[in-house]
Amino acid sequence: MRIVHLGLGHFFRAHQAWYTAHASDAAQWGIAAFTGRSGASAEALTRQDGLFTLVERGPDTDRLEVVGSVVEAVAGDDIQRLEALVSDPHVAVITLTVTESGYRLTTAGLPDLDDPDVRSDLDALRVYRPAATTILGRLTTAFRARRDADAGPIAVVPCDNIPGNGEFVARGVTAFAERVDQALAAWIRSNVSFVSTSVDRITPHTDEAPAVLSRAGWLDDLTVMTEPFSDWVLAGSFPAGRPDWESAGARFVDDIEPWENRKLWLLNGAHSLLTFAGMPRGLDTVAEAIADPECRALVESFWAEAVACLPGGTEHERYRAQLIERFANPRIVHRLAQIAAEATTKVQFRFAAVAERSVDAGGDASASARALATWIAWLRTDPGAVDVRADAVAAAEACDDPISALIALVSPKLAALPDFVDHVRRFIPVVTTDCSKENQ
């Protein structure tokens, strides 16, 4: 095997594993995939020899495929196996899908030293013990093993919805390593290439195997259901080699920013907006929410502002039309409650980023202000969604001016603009009333 993946989940199996399986040189590039915390999925995948069924669900038909690019599945806390793999010079790539908040980094892209797991991993590494809890600790442990084995350079490929995710992770990991061993941090800067990516394939988490699987006589505990559409754009170098992913449809570009922002703002931004507007209306899925005229109007207004922030020449009209079709696919049951997780970090990258650019350009930021208001109004419904920044959200809501404090969580820059804050403040009663009317 020549690829190590951290974050064995549905999206990884529908995207990076699928692209690797479809590469022209797939036989040369097996993947060792590590789980996040629980080892259950690794045990299940091991029982199936690494094989799983991918079901592409179109509006009318299903397409079934067995994906075989994962050759080893490992529990995330098996740090010795991680060290052994990454210290092998044949291993050339580490890919990551750990979610935006999974990196335990602050908004500045630095290690969150208020996180007890981050501090614990730092303490372990300082006395030369391996760190097994956080991604920062696991990567730094792996890099130390590779350096000590003189195994040569390696590429790291984050596949999470973060602008400039390669640079973001590079800054965080290097800053973490600096607190452990400055010589190790210097080795990372010289020997690890961090590749930025834009990933796109709607893959809702579900444990329901479709009837078409049983009709085909297939037994699979790890079926993944996804849409037919897929896209992968990468920018960066691979000093130890990489699969021929472009033969499977991936694109390699010099500048990732237009592509990642197009996807992050238009697809992911719309998902969050549909969630915050749809859940208070009693809607359950993306397909239901995009069919609601008020929700769709919010999305299209936000899109109009977001595309004005994209560089000239970035195609977005066809992409937006495709998104409407993809969202409306009733056979992809993408639940709003799933999208709601880690909302604060998502709002930072999906709404606040557009608002900052709109303000900087002197343009109309009303749609992103309304999106932020929709998020704040949703918070007041006490949705109970998992959020690693829940304590910070609760503290902000307890402030004398909770609106300003909540905006500061996702953008101190916007919170320092009284006119923008007032704009958000004026929208909150409007979006709250809209939802109340919908439920009457």
Side-chain angles (χ1 to χ4, degrees):
M1 70 197 74
R2 299 192 64 195
I3 300 173
V4 167
H5 180 81
L6 305 184
L8 200 177
H10 284 64
F11 182 77
F12 154 70
R13 286 185 280 143
H15 197 271
Q16 295 90 51
W18 181 88
Y19 274 95
T20 302
H22 282 257
S24 63
D25 54 355
Q28 303 172 34
W29 291 93
I31 303 171
F34 287 74
T35 64
R37 291 185 180 271
S38 169
S41 58
E43 293 172 4
L45 198 54
T46 298
R47 289 195 296 269
Q48 297 184 179
D49 294 326
L51 303 174
F52 61 90
T53 309
L54 188 73
V55 180
E56 292 183 357
R57 308 215 78 174
D60 304 307
T61 59
D62 291 323
R63 178 182 177 275
L64 278 64
E65 173 185 354
V66 176
V67 177
S69 55
V70 178
V71 297
E72 182 177 351
V74 191
D77 61 0
D78 190 345
I79 202 72
Q80 290 184 327
R81 184 56 180 154
L82 179 63
E83 289 179 303
L85 285 165
V86 178
S87 60
D88 181 346
H90 290 97
V91 171
V93 179
I94 300 174
T95 56
L96 305 164
T97 50
V98 298
T99 75
E100 298 95 324
S101 61
Y103 291 99
R104 315 288 184 99
L105 301 177
T106 66
T107 55
L110 299 175
D112 183 359
L113 300 179
D114 292 329
D115 187 310
D117 289 337
V118 171
R119 294 198 304 270
S120 176
D121 278 0
L122 278 172
D123 291 342
L125 282 159
R126 284 167 177 158
V127 295
Y128 222 81
R129 293 200 312 270
T133 303
T134 69
I135 288 297
L136 295 173
R138 291 176 186 178
L139 283 174
T140 303
T141 297
F143 294 150
R144 184 173 66 185
R146 192 171 183 90
R147 179 200 64 179
D148 293 350
D150 194 23
I154 194 168
V156 172
V157 186
C159 299
D160 293 291
N161 294 314
I162 302 169
N165 49 22
E167 295 177 5
F168 182 78
V169 176
R171 183 166 59 252
V173 172
T174 305
F176 183 89
E178 284 277 6
R179 292 179 172 272
V180 175
D181 177 355
Q182 291 191 359
L184 176 59
W187 184 91
I188 292 171
R189 282 191 289 267
S190 298
N191 291 274
V192 182
S193 168
F194 291 86
V195 177
S196 288
T197 66
S198 169
V199 296
D200 191 352
R201 192 169 210 184
I202 297 173
T203 307
H205 183 93
T206 177
D207 295 321
E208 299 175 5
V212 66
L213 205 66
S214 58
R215 286 199 299 270
W218 294 14
L219 298 175
D220 184 359
D221 293 329
L222 291 164
T223 303
V224 178
M225 286 186 280
T226 191
E227 64 173 337
F229 180 95
S230 66
D231 191 47
W232 196 8
V233 187
L234 305 93
S237 63
F238 291 80
R242 62 169 176 79
D244 181 23
W245 282 320
E246 55 263 66
S247 66
R251 288 174 288 162
F252 289 81
V253 299
D254 293 329
D255 183 8
I256 195 73
E257 185 175 2
W259 303 104
E260 65 186 2
N261 284 341
R262 185 184 76 160
K263 189 262 179 174
L264 189 62
W265 300 340
L266 303 188
L267 187 150
N268 300 116
H271 270 170
S272 290
L273 193 48
L274 291 170
T275 296
F276 304 146
M279 290 181 71
R281 288 173 162 81
L283 304 176
D284 184 47
T285 68
V286 169
E288 291 173 0
I290 199 63
D292 180 276
E294 293 293 330
C295 290
R296 178 163 174 171
L298 282 171
V299 166
E300 292 186 336
S301 177
F302 179 72
W303 278 353
E305 183 178 321
V307 298
C309 300
L310 292 172
T314 305
E315 197 287 315
H316 59 79
E317 292 184 0
R318 181 170 177 269
Y319 185 67
R320 288 155 70 183
Q322 288 176 321
L323 284 176
I324 294 295
E325 293 177 1
R326 294 164 65 191
F327 291 168
N329 182 351
R331 302 178 74 247
I332 292 291
V333 184
H334 200 176
R335 302 198 181 280
L336 302 178
Q338 293 173 350
I339 300 168
E342 308 300 351
T344 309
T345 302
K346 290 175 178 176
V347 166
Q348 173 190 337
F349 294 121
R350 301 176 185 186
F351 298 168
V354 172
E356 288 178 353
R357 285 165 174 78
S358 297
V359 169
D360 286 345
D364 181 4
S366 60
S368 53
R370 186 162 187 151
L372 286 164
T374 305
W375 165 59
I376 293 171
W378 170 80
L379 286 174
R380 293 178 172 179
T381 69
D382 192 21
V386 173
D387 193 332
V388 73
R389 299 173 69 183
D391 289 344
V393 170
E397 291 183 307
C399 288
D400 291 339
D401 184 358
I403 307 305
S404 181
L406 286 167
I407 295 171
L409 279 183
V410 297
S411 173
K413 179 178 179 178
L414 294 172
L417 301 173
D419 288 347
F420 183 83
V421 174
D422 287 343
H423 208 26
V424 174
R425 201 187 311 276
R426 288 193 297 272
F427 271 130
I428 291 173
V430 175
V431 297
T432 303
T433 301
D434 288 346
C435 292
S436 299
K437 289 179 179 177
E438 189 79 17
N439 285 316
Q440 287 178 356

